[in-house]
Amino acid sequence: MLTPLLLVPLLGAIAIALYPKPQASREIATAFSLASLGWAVYLLSELNLNLGAVQFSEFHSWVQPLGLNYSLGVDGLSLPLLTLNSLLTVVALYTNRPQLNRPRLHNSLILLINAGIAGALMSQNLLLFIIFYELELIPFYLLIAIWGGEKRGYASTKFLLYTAVSGLLVIFSFLGIAFTSESFSFEFGQLQLQAFSGLDLVTQLLLLTPLLIGFAIKTPLVPLHTWMPDTYVEASPSTTILLGGIFAKLGTYGLLRFGLQLFPVAWQTVAPGLAIIGTVSVIYGAMSAIAQRDIKRMVAYSSIGHMGYILVASAAGTELSVLGAIAQMVAHGLILALLFYLVGIVEQTTGTRDLDILNGLMNPIRGLPLTSALLILAGMASAGIPGLVGFAAEFVVFQGSFATFPIPTLICIISSGLTAVYFVILINRTCFGKLDNSRAYYARVTVKDQWPALVLTAIILFLGIQPNGLLRWMEPTSTTMVAQLHYPKISNRGGQFDAYNPAVVPKGIDNLPFVKEMIRHIPLK
């Protein structure tokens, strides 16, 4: 049931290459992307919400001597992100201008990115994850280098170097995990069992550190973020939507999936440090955004802060905080995609992104009233105004993190006020004031041109009013993940293990079938 999420975009890229009319490539790519989105939504409807373990599993032996298998599976962490990936692919394809140069290559690359990200999110084999994790780098590089801005060569090279280092660090950690496993396995399920019984704390920390650095580059987090502003600014609007909306989420996904789940003991050891890094990222992102005059760069820096929320919540390791971290990934992807889409419309229509030049776009006659109204709503969602999905996700993050890290959480709450500051600056400069009569002769932007923004806005509003429509898919998985953190430290010295202590496990978690199975495999003193 999962293979279609890989095959459909790949078949779409082949269809575009074979179809004789390049002008029809966007329609073809959109059709295949809609099919992929429909299938992802169908899988959501079929997901068993009483089970926090991996579902819809597929396994086929591939290169057995290397331990590489075609092993797929999804749960409440990966499936919502898969749905977001398909949705943002449709939005990115529609963002393309009709007069785009080399449309066949451009739209094929977007479909390849869709397939690569989907494969990474579904992989249950570490080597298979690395293949997909690295696969989408080349399409992104080409999208930036060919269709980017004036400094696209510099930005694309910087992007490739940073993300390549990220992949090398992750590969190094994965190889270490396999070499220290009892059966030299790359299967996530087998390695997850080992996390409860196989490795001492020092070994876990040595393997976890490069994994944390690699995924922190991808996210990105301070101080490994420097590739992000240049890349986001120079990339085209469609590429930026994919970069900020879903590509960066592979970093936070990797931290939760492989950091927290494979190294539960070491994760609790480094958690205070991760919380500090997340808090610094929140403050730095907000302060940097306030200092910008380019609205696209301002939105880019804002994403660093929101990634910091996810790291603090992941480090806290409570049921609510992990649930909030997953929800924040999806919420931030939706909001950031909407912001970049609207910024692209403003730039294309007015010819500038400079806050010192833009003014009065809310003017109902000669301005961009609908674009401005949607921009105001997107800014409110990013600032965490109640009734929008950003508030629902951030509230769960803060509520879940406070018990474990009260001071970092309070700093993050205060810093969320800075989010409102830079979005007030952005909205006040662009939407209000008087139009410049010598410049303000803008082309009309119709509702048809903005239907992706309207769809994203509707989703943001609906999930803000009914947050259970988002959280219900993630709750069983977050509960299962947190259960692993509540096992006592296990040492393999002499084959002796500490007894399972029900007192440290949250009420109800020890009744989950997955947790019962894990408990059954732990030898007790």
Side-chain angles (χ1 to χ4, degrees):
M1 296 183 71
L2 299 179
T3 298
L5 292 175
L6 284 174
L7 284 182
V8 170
L10 293 177
L11 291 175
I14 295 172
I16 291 173
L18 297 178
Y19 196 72
K21 296 181 179 180
Q23 296 79 8
S25 62
R26 187 173 78 165
E27 287 72 19
I28 296 173
T30 302
F32 278 91
S33 298
L34 286 171
S36 180
L37 175 60
W39 190 253
V41 172
Y42 169 73
L43 291 178
L44 268 180
S45 67
E46 294 294 312
L47 191 69
N48 185 354
L49 299 182
N50 296 317
L51 184 64
V54 172
Q55 303 180 41
F56 309 124
S57 298
E58 295 183 22
F59 182 88
H60 301 283
S61 181
W62 192 0
V63 187
Q64 199 62 40
L66 295 179
L68 174 60
N69 298 306
Y70 182 77
S71 179
L72 304 180
V74 294
D75 57 9
L77 170 58
S78 53
L79 190 52
L81 293 174
L82 280 167
T83 309
L84 178 68
N85 177 40
S86 298
L87 174 64
L88 297 190
T89 301
V90 177
V91 173
L93 288 167
Y94 195 86
T95 308
N96 296 337
R97 301 183 303 275
Q99 65 273 22
L100 181 73
N101 295 326
R102 304 168 72 179
R104 180 180 289 172
L105 175 61
H106 186 279
N107 296 322
S108 296
L109 290 174
I110 288 181
L111 290 179
L112 290 177
I113 289 171
N114 177 278
I117 292 176
L121 292 173
M122 294 188 294
S123 295
Q124 296 297 308
N125 180 280
L126 302 192
L127 286 183
L128 188 66
F129 172 84
I130 282 294
I131 291 174
F132 288 116
Y133 187 77
E134 298 290 275
L135 179 65
E136 17 78 35
L137 296 186
I138 298 303
F140 268 121
Y141 170 79
L142 294 175
L143 286 174
I144 300 166
I146 298 174
W147 291 276
E150 293 181 1
K151 299 180 181 179
R152 57 184 178 272
Y154 169 77
S156 58
T157 303
K158 193 174 183 180
F159 163 80
L160 188 62
L161 290 175
Y162 268 81
T163 50
V165 171
S166 168
L168 288 174
L169 289 170
V170 174
I171 291 173
F172 176 80
S173 182
F174 282 176
L175 289 175
I177 293 170
F179 279 119
T180 54
S181 65
E182 297 177 358
S183 57
F184 189 74
S185 173
F186 288 99
E187 290 300 313
F188 178 76
Q190 296 180 23
L191 295 171
Q192 194 176 7
L193 286 173
Q194 175 186 302
F196 287 81
S197 59
L199 297 177
D200 59 86
L201 178 59
V202 174
T203 304
Q204 288 193 39
L205 289 173
L206 289 175
L207 296 175
L208 178 60
T209 300
L211 203 66
L212 293 176
I213 298 173
F215 287 129
I217 294 173
K218 196 90 162 189
T219 300
L221 296 167
V222 175
L224 305 171
H225 67 286
T226 55
W227 65 269
M228 186 272 290
D230 294 323
T231 302
Y232 282 23
V233 169
E234 296 302 323
S236 64
S238 59
T239 307
T240 311
I241 287 171
L242 294 175
L243 279 170
I246 189 63
F247 175 79
K249 306 306 179 291
L250 287 180
T252 50
Y253 170 83
L255 290 173
L256 283 172
R257 175 68 76 205
F258 304 109
L260 186 149
Q261 290 197 274
L262 292 184
F263 303 101
V265 176
W267 184 268
Q268 294 179 83
T269 304
V270 302
L274 296 179
I276 293 173
I277 294 173
T279 306
V280 171
S281 296
V282 171
I283 299 172
Y284 177 86
M287 298 300 292
S288 298
I290 291 174
Q292 304 307 312
R293 289 296 175 265
D294 183 320
I295 57 176
K296 195 174 185 181
R297 188 176 286 271
M298 179 182 285
V299 174
Y301 272 107
S302 74
S303 69
I304 297 177
H306 288 88
M307 293 294 99
Y309 294 151
I310 298 174
L311 184 61
V312 172
S314 303
T318 67
E319 187 176 346
L320 266 182
S321 70
V322 173
L323 176 63
I326 304 172
Q328 178 70 359
M329 290 187 214
V330 178
H332 179 256
L334 293 169
I335 296 169
L336 200 66
L338 177 58
L339 285 167
F340 279 130
Y341 187 90
L342 296 172
V343 169
I345 290 178
V346 171
E347 181 184 9
Q348 183 180 348
T349 307
T350 65
T352 184
R353 302 191 305 260
D354 194 334
L355 283 175
D356 295 329
I357 298 175
L358 290 168
N359 241 332
L361 296 183
M362 186 62 85
N363 188 298
I365 300 175
R366 293 187 296 126
L368 306 174
L370 179 57
T371 302
S372 299
L374 295 176
L375 187 61
I376 292 172
L377 186 139
M380 293 169 63
S382 185
I385 300 300
L388 301 170
V389 69
F391 171 79
E394 289 180 18
F395 180 80
V396 178
V397 165
F398 296 149
Q399 187 180 15
S401 303
F402 184 80
T404 307
F405 298 120
I407 294 178
T409 303
L410 284 174
I411 295 174
C412 289
I413 294 173
I414 295 171
S415 299
S416 66
L418 297 176
T419 306
V421 171
Y422 59 75
F423 274 112
V424 166
I425 294 173
L426 186 153
I427 292 167
N428 183 54
R429 296 285 185 87
T430 58
C431 300
F432 300 104
K434 293 183 179 181
L435 283 173
D436 186 345
N437 290 328
S438 63
R439 295 175 178 269
Y441 293 94
Y442 305 137
R444 183 175 178 82
V445 180
T446 64
V447 174
K448 180 182 177 181
D449 297 325
Q450 301 186 89
W451 74 259
L454 294 171
V455 171
L456 290 172
T457 300
I459 297 173
I460 289 170
L461 283 169
F462 173 77
L463 295 179
I465 297 171
Q466 291 289 342
N468 190 49
L470 176 65
L471 300 176
R472 63 194 297 259
W473 313 104
M474 308 164 180
E475 188 172 2
T477 297
S478 64
T479 301
T480 302
M481 292 172 67
V482 170
Q484 300 174 29
L485 293 176
H486 289 273
Y487 281 90
K489 291 185 179 180
I490 299 172
S491 171
N492 63 350
R493 297 176 187 172
Q496 298 298 314
F497 300 90
D498 295 334
Y500 163 66
N501 180 9
V504 301
V505 179
K507 184 178 180 181
I509 287 182
D510 54 340
N511 290 324
L512 291 172
F514 173 74
V515 178
K516 285 183 176 181
E517 184 68 12
M518 301 300 285
I519 294 171
R520 190 172 66 83
H521 282 83
I522 296 180
L524 303 181
K525 260 183 188 177

